[in-house]
């Protein structure tokens, strides 16, 4: 069961979303995805992965997620990407092309990936022995390498201090000093005699200090609003045009959060919007704050309780709508209150 939340990691260029896989209501693996994505199961021998493919504006990313949370990035390219996948000797083998006409072969085994360039020219790069681990981030070691790579220090579970190199943009890690992070690392080589242990991806969202799952959030950049406190145990899917998100659980709870400029285009007032959004409701409560341009309304629709909140104004209205069965009002009330408190406009 997938969940989607906002993601803008420094390691893969702006991607846009975290994709989290959920089991029994808890996330167990995650990766970054572009706007258009799909998940499928792949198997080779005793290896089993969720294969995640995503794309946007010619950019492509392919990732494998295991049942144990292992994340392996097969490729990240603006080129043709994946050409073929097959099984060889109990391992997964991928053939792909980058944006500069180079062909590559990636062999995936247990907790490792080795990418082999199609030519032997110096300058071809490959990853080897990628792995994902939980480590405490200790901070920068203060010794940059050729003004390009910066050393980051981590403490492993057995107490060792590990130094990994990362580019300039990895300084965004600083706020996470002293916390336990999921990091992916491996050996990056540039031709004979170069390379070393290097950061490839850092995923602070899945786990935090103590191993507890951190709460995901949803950000809508098109209409500049966010949900910082998401409902529990819900599947989440963004709309194709990026105007909002839909969330549902198996108990009858549903949430719709979206933006629209239709009221502005039709020159409708806040009262017009309230009347339209509450149409068909047996209204039990409403409040309008004209000074701050928002309103709330709640009521009954058949066997459901409906709660609406709207931030109304230029350039758009941002609307949150939640509904759930009347007989589960006591169970869902705290969740609804939490979501409403986390419904915000960007500053």
């Amino acid at each position: 069961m997938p969940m989607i939340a906002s993601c803008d990691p420094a390691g893969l260029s702006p991607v846009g979303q975290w994709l989290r896989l959920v089991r029994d209501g808890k996330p167990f693996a995650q990766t970054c995805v572009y706007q258009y994505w799909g998940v499928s199961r792949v198997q080779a021998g005793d290896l089993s992965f969720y294969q995640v493919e995503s794309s946007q504006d010619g950019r492509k990313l392919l990732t494998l997620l295991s049942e144990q949370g292992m994340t392996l990035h097969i490729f990240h390219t603006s080129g043709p990407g994946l050409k073929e996948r097959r099984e060889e000797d109990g391992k997964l083998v991928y053939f792909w092309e980058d944006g500069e006409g180079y062909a590559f072969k990636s062999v995936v085994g247990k907790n490792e990936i080795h990418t082999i360039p199609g030519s032997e020219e110096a300058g071809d790069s490959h990853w080897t022995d990628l792995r994902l681990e939980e480590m405490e981030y200790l901070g920068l070691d203060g010794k940059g390498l050729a003004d390009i790579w910066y050393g980051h220090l981590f403490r492993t579970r057995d107490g060792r201090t590990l130094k990994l190199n990362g580019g300039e943009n990895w300084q965004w890690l600083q706020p996470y000093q002293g916390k336990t992070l999921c990091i992916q690392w491996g050996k990056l080589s540039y031709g004979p005699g170069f390379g070393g242990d290097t950061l490839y991806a850092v995923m602070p969202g899945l786990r935090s200090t103590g191993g507890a799952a951190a709460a995901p959030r949803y950000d809508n950049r098109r209409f500049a609003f966010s949900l910082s406190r998401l409902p529990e145990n819900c599947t989440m899917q963004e709309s194709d045009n990026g105007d909002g998100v839909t969330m549902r659980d198996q108990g009858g709870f549903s949430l719709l959060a979206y933006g629209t400029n239709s009221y502005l285009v039709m020159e409708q007032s806040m009262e017009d919007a309230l009347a339209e959004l509450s149409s068909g409701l047996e209204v039990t409560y409403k409040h309008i704050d004209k000074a701050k341009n928002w309103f709330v309304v709640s009521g009954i629709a058949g066997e459901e309780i409906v709660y609406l909140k709207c931030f109304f104004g230029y350039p758009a209205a941002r609307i949150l709508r939640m509904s759930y069965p009347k007989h589960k009002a006591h169970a869902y009330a705290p969740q609804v209150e939490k979501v409403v408190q986390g419904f915000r406009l960007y500053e």
Side-chain angles (χ1 to χ4, degrees):
M1 181 183 301
M3 294 173 60
I4 286 290
S6 177
C7 163
D8 191 10
L12 291 175
S13 79
V15 175
Q17 303 176 111
W18 284 122
L19 172 71
R20 292 189 174 96
L21 299 186
V22 178
R23 184 191 298 116
D24 299 326
K26 297 182 179 180
F28 68 91
Q30 73 177 16
T31 188
C32 294
V33 292
Y34 286 119
Q35 181 176 0
Y36 305 105
W37 57 272
V39 182
S40 59
R41 287 297 293 266
V42 294
Q43 187 129 7
D46 60 352
L47 297 175
S48 180
F49 291 95
Y50 296 92
Q51 179 174 299
V52 182
E53 296 181 74
S54 66
S55 64
Q56 183 177 350
D57 300 328
R59 297 170 297 177
K60 299 177 181 67
L61 177 66
L62 188 147
T63 300
L64 296 182
L65 297 172
S66 79
E67 297 281 359
Q68 293 73 39
M70 171 64 66
T71 304
L72 298 173
H73 293 282
I74 307 302
F75 63 79
H76 180 243
T77 178
S78 295
L82 181 62
K83 307 295 287 185
E84 180 187 356
R85 185 197 76 210
R86 64 175 181 246
E87 179 184 348
E88 291 182 2
D89 300 324
K91 295 185 178 183
L92 291 169
V93 182
Y94 291 83
F95 295 88
W96 56 281
E97 294 180 9
D98 67 8
E100 299 179 358
Y102 289 97
F104 296 82
K105 173 183 176 181
S106 295
V107 181
V108 182
K110 186 177 182 180
N111 295 349
E112 67 175 356
I113 175 175
H114 186 76
T115 298
I116 306 164
S119 72
E120 299 298 326
E121 296 177 14
D124 284 343
S125 61
H126 64 272
W127 284 92
T128 183
D129 194 26
L130 284 184
R131 64 192 70 183
L132 183 72
E133 297 184 23
E134 287 189 26
M135 299 183 188
E136 179 187 355
Y137 180 53
L138 302 179
L140 288 168
D141 71 350
K143 298 178 181 178
L145 303 178
D147 295 325
I148 299 176
W149 300 101
Y150 288 78
H152 294 264
L153 299 176
F154 294 86
R155 181 178 291 120
T156 63
R157 284 186 168 184
D158 60 5
R160 294 180 298 111
T161 298
L162 178 67
K163 175 184 175 181
L164 301 176
N165 297 327
E168 287 182 271
N169 52 1
W170 287 106
Q171 297 210 46
W172 70 278
L173 270 172
Q174 286 302 290
Y176 294 98
Q177 187 167 339
K179 296 182 179 180
T180 300
L181 305 176
C182 290
I183 70 163
Q184 184 173 308
W185 60 284
K187 187 178 292 294
L188 177 63
S189 299
Y190 291 95
F194 293 91
D197 289 337
T198 308
L199 280 170
Y200 186 57
V202 179
M203 287 165 278
L206 187 60
R207 296 182 180 91
S208 58
T209 303
R217 59 178 289 143
Y218 169 77
D219 289 275
N220 187 292
R221 297 184 180 182
R222 179 181 174 187
F223 287 104
F225 71 87
S226 66
L227 296 171
S228 62
R229 306 180 68 182
L230 299 187
E232 300 173 357
N233 303 327
C234 280
T235 60
M236 185 177 353
Q237 182 63 56
E238 281 195 279
S239 61
D240 291 338
N241 64 4
D243 68 347
V245 66
T246 301
M247 305 181 203
R248 294 186 177 90
D249 71 6
Q250 296 181 346
F253 174 88
S254 67
L255 177 152
L256 177 63
Y258 65 99
T260 177
N261 54 20
S262 62
Y263 297 112
L264 178 66
V265 171
M266 299 299 293
E267 298 183 348
Q268 292 175 289
S269 66
M270 185 159 54
E271 289 79 1
D272 293 331
L274 190 154
E276 179 181 315
L277 292 170
S278 60
S279 177
L281 285 183
E282 178 187 338
V283 175
T284 56
Y285 174 81
K286 67 178 179 181
H287 176 76
I288 300 177
D289 189 328
K290 290 189 176 182
K292 296 182 179 179
N293 294 320
W294 62 266
F295 65 81
V296 297
V297 59
S298 59
I300 307 297
E303 296 301 312
E304 288 191 324
I305 295 175
V306 177
Y307 181 95
L308 290 148
K309 181 169 184 177
C310 174
F311 291 106
F312 190 90
Y314 184 85
R318 291 82 157 189
I319 299 160
L320 171 66
R321 185 187 192 277
M322 291 178 283
S323 64
Y324 50 92
K326 287 193 295 186
H327 69 278
K328 296 184 179 181
H330 181 74
Y332 281 114
Q335 179 165 286
V336 169
E337 182 179 358
K338 180 182 74 171
V339 174
V340 172
Q341 290 175 351
F343 182 40
R344 296 282 188 272
L345 301 184
Y346 288 172
E347 295 294 336

